[in-house]
Amino acid sequence: MQIVIVGTGYVGLVTGTCLAETGNDVTCVDCDRKKIDLLNRGHLPIYEPGLSELVTRNVTGGHLRFTADLASAVKKANIVFLAVGTPPSEDGSADLSSLWAVVDQIAPLLVPDCVVICKSTVPVGTNAKVAARLKELSGHEIDVASNPEFLKEGMAIDDFMKPDRVVVGVRRKEVGELLRDLYEPYLRTDKPFLIMSPESAEMTKYAANSLLSTKISFINEIANLCERAGANINDIRRGIGHDSRLGFAFLFPGVGYGGSCFPKDVRALAALARSYGMDPKILDAVHNVNEHQKTVLTQKIEQHFDGKLADKAIAIWGLAFKPSTDDIREAPALVLIDRLLELKATIRVHDPEALNNVRAIYGDRLVYCPKRDDALRGADALAICTEWKQFVRPDFAEMRRLMRQPVIFDGRNIYDLQQLKGTGFTYYSIGRSTVVGDGTT
Ligand SMILES: NC(=O)c1ccc[n+]([C@@H]2O[C@H](COP(=O)([O-])OP(=O)(O)OC[C@H]3O[C@@H](n4cnc5c(N)ncnc54)[C@H](O)[C@@H]3O)[C@@H](O)[C@H]2O)c1
């Protein structure tokens, strides 16, 4: 199989590399020359655990290459994956301009039996429009299949290699069989290969992300209520999670979901519903609850310091939208940083992987600390926005020594309330009572 992946980002690079790993001949294309140059010099433009070794092995083995020359790559391809970004437009709907730019470019170049596969998350009906556009520009029928991606950043290799399921949306049985053959090496443990229409495949992706987001917003709303009503969200989580109908997944309270998928996909599905004259009440509520949740840590900080942050230094641990990635798109930490900058606080940030991405936005307005504990030096408080494993077992006595005031605002509930009692820290978290410096709650 000669496979071309257009768009070499979090999804395209992982997809291309994993497909090369099973012996396919893969060319990853991107219009970002810097990205391609970096890859061709043996460096990765993103952080994803385990990816670097796989890329090196497959480039060395001759199965994987990178280019900015879309035309040359596509001319020989049997399969072209579209994995470009589909970010939100002003009104929340998916911005498909990158996708259409690629479709227009490749249409005249495709060999007659080439199959175009849409991996980007796109609104229902897009695959049909892509097929129509390709036919119009090429003068012949080209098969287009929907194959939404469900990988999670931070676990992307495992998710691709051992997916819970593969979903494909096709018009012709033969295209379904081609895709089944392509994915067969990854479905050895009898996980399902689900064939449906392109419309259903497109909708499946949005429905999955929206339901996961709904669980997060739900538990966050309950957590906020717990704080006011004197209940402990961790107990509630256990109490409901053991119900086999509910389970534990995605029921961790926090400072809201971020990343390049949940926020945009919930809004895009709501926009789709509106385009059909529907009022998407649940989706709007999920989004609004999340927007509010991104501000709860800031509110606690402002309350604690009586709104006077100008002479305060706040340390932030965790900037990526979740652990094990350098992705900061729509990360809750950015909302906190923006507000603290408005209040003229000094901000000392640490993240194991995302510092460079944050520096690219904020420049010299923040103090960047490559070492976790350096962020604490002279800080009046620590705010935790991402639950990196590196933050879970700190030396509280050493932290007290480094900080000017012993205060923690934990946006991810990574510590036990009991653990904090007796440390001298005042400890705020989400959906639980506050531990005051003298150990009372
Ligand atoms: N990131 C995830 O965890 C994830 C998971 C599942 C699905 N998705 C979906 O997959 C798609 C890609 O997401 P991503 O996170 O990989 O995005 P990304 O921004 O990391 O990568 C997209 C890449 O496409 C390239 N690109 C844009 N226009 C191009 C063009 N005309 N020609 C060639 N390359 C072009 C960009 O330079 C970029 O490198 C989106 O639709 C997203 O919703 C993402």
Side-chain angles (χ1 to χ4, degrees):
M1 287 286 182
Q2 296 257 347
I3 297 175
V4 167
I5 314 275
V6 190
T8 308
Y10 287 87
V11 166
L13 184 55
V14 170
T15 302
T17 307
C18 291
L19 288 171
E21 181 72 7
T22 51
N24 297 292
D25 184 280
V26 180
T27 304
C28 286
V29 182
D30 206 286
C31 60
D32 182 341
R33 280 176 187 277
K34 272 201 235 137
K35 220 174 235 192
I36 295 299
D37 288 347
L38 209 59
L39 284 159
N40 282 329
R41 280 186 280 129
H43 303 291
L44 290 201
I46 56 165
Y47 171 72
E48 180 60 45
L51 185 58
S52 178
E53 295 84 333
L54 276 193
V55 168
T56 307
R57 181 160 71 225
N58 284 287
V59 168
T60 312
H63 298 300
L64 179 64
R65 65 200 67 81
F66 304 102
T67 180
D69 184 354
L70 178 65
S72 308
V74 160
K75 272 181 199 158
K76 295 171 281 181
N78 313 102
I79 293 180
V80 176
F81 276 96
L82 306 179
V84 295
T86 49
S89 325
E90 234 5 47
D91 65 354
S93 63
D95 174 354
L96 300 181
S97 50
S98 295
L99 187 93
W100 292 124
V102 175
V103 168
D104 285 4
Q105 267 179 287
I106 64 173
L109 306 168
L110 299 173
V111 295
D113 59 352
C114 180
V115 176
V116 173
I117 300 172
C118 192
K119 210 165 229 331
S120 300
T121 305
V122 291
V124 179
T126 305
N127 275 260
K129 288 182 192 155
V130 169
R133 181 85 181 146
L134 287 174
K135 185 174 178 188
E136 180 193 332
L137 296 179
S138 69
H140 58 269
E141 210 68 66
I142 292 167
D143 282 307
V144 176
S146 167
N147 173 215
E149 183 49 60
F150 297 97
L151 63 77
K152 302 181 285 299
E153 286 175 24
M155 306 228 263
I157 307 282
D158 238 32
D159 286 346
F160 195 94
M161 294 292 193
K162 289 178 252 166
D164 287 339
R165 78 305 205 185
V166 170
V167 170
V168 299
V170 295
R171 298 262 182 252
R172 284 197 314 122
K173 200 165 152 269
E174 292 77 2
V175 179
E177 290 313 311
L178 175 85
L179 279 160
R180 189 196 297 278
D181 197 42
L182 189 67
Y183 277 106
E184 193 272 332
Y186 312 98
L187 294 169
R188 292 260 153 101
T189 49
D190 276 343
K191 294 289 186 187
F193 180 81
L194 304 172
I195 301 186
M196 53 188 80
S197 72
E199 289 73 20
S200 296
E202 292 165 331
M203 183 66 97
T204 299
K205 174 65 192 172
Y206 279 111
N209 273 357
S210 297
L211 184 51
L212 293 169
S213 308
T214 302
K215 289 183 87 175
I216 296 173
S217 278
F218 176 82
I219 202 70
N220 282 335
E221 189 155 280
I222 300 296
N224 297 341
L225 185 54
C226 281
E227 277 177 30
R228 286 156 183 81
N232 181 331
I233 190 66
N234 264 9
D235 293 335
I236 316 306
R237 211 177 59 74
R238 283 203 297 272
I240 62 178
H242 282 290
D243 185 328
S244 57
R245 294 168 302 175
L246 299 170
F248 285 97
F250 284 78
L251 287 179
F252 286 92
V255 276
Y257 57 76
S260 67
C261 293
F262 287 5
K264 87 168 167 62
D265 291 351
V266 169
R267 290 181 68 209
L269 190 54
L272 183 76
R274 265 186 270 281
S275 77
Y276 285 102
M278 270 179 66
D279 177 16
K281 294 188 186 67
I282 292 180
L283 297 170
D284 284 346
V286 169
H287 171 71
N288 292 336
V289 167
N290 193 60
E291 287 298 289
H292 170 262
Q293 200 65 20
K294 287 182 179 176
T295 68
V296 296
L297 215 55
T298 324
Q299 286 172 27
K300 287 175 199 270
I301 295 173
E302 286 183 53
Q303 231 164 39
H304 179 90
F305 290 107
D306 246 346
K308 298 186 184 76
L309 272 297
D311 58 345
K312 299 288 181 290
I314 307 296
I316 303 179
W317 281 358
L319 305 168
F321 83 94
K322 67 173 182 176
S324 302
T325 182
D326 61 349
D327 196 344
I328 57 164
R329 288 178 282 186
E330 305 220 24
L334 306 188
V335 174
L336 174 61
I337 290 174
D338 289 341
R339 181 65 185 147
L340 291 175
L341 282 173
E342 265 172 40
L343 296 168
K344 308 219 174 329
T346 301
I347 309 171
R348 303 175 62 81
V349 295
H350 167 75
D351 187 283
E353 295 295 338
L355 277 188
N356 284 342
N357 286 341
V358 170
R359 197 194 307 266
I361 299 178
Y362 293 98
D364 59 9
R365 287 180 290 163
L366 312 179
V367 182
Y368 301 92
C369 305
K371 287 198 180 137
R372 182 193 74 177
D373 289 355
D374 282 348
L376 302 176
R377 287 181 199 285
D380 294 283
L382 163 67
I384 300 172
C385 291
T386 318
E387 64 278 31
W388 283 92
K389 284 202 177 62
Q390 292 90 322
F391 306 156
V392 174
R393 291 277 174 271
D395 176 344
F396 290 111
E398 174 64 4
M399 287 171 73
R400 263 197 85 169
R401 204 183 59 73
L402 291 170
M403 293 173 71
R404 193 152 58 188
Q405 296 189 57
V407 189
I408 298 174
F409 297 90
D410 180 357
R412 297 293 178 183
N413 286 6
I414 62 177
Y415 305 126
D416 205 69
L417 295 185
Q418 289 305 326
Q419 213 181 337
L420 264 294
K421 286 184 180 169
T423 59
F425 273 95
T426 291
Y427 176 64
Y428 296 87
S429 56
I430 308 290
R432 303 185 295 179
S433 55
T434 300
V435 177
V436 189
D438 62 8
T440 58
T441 48

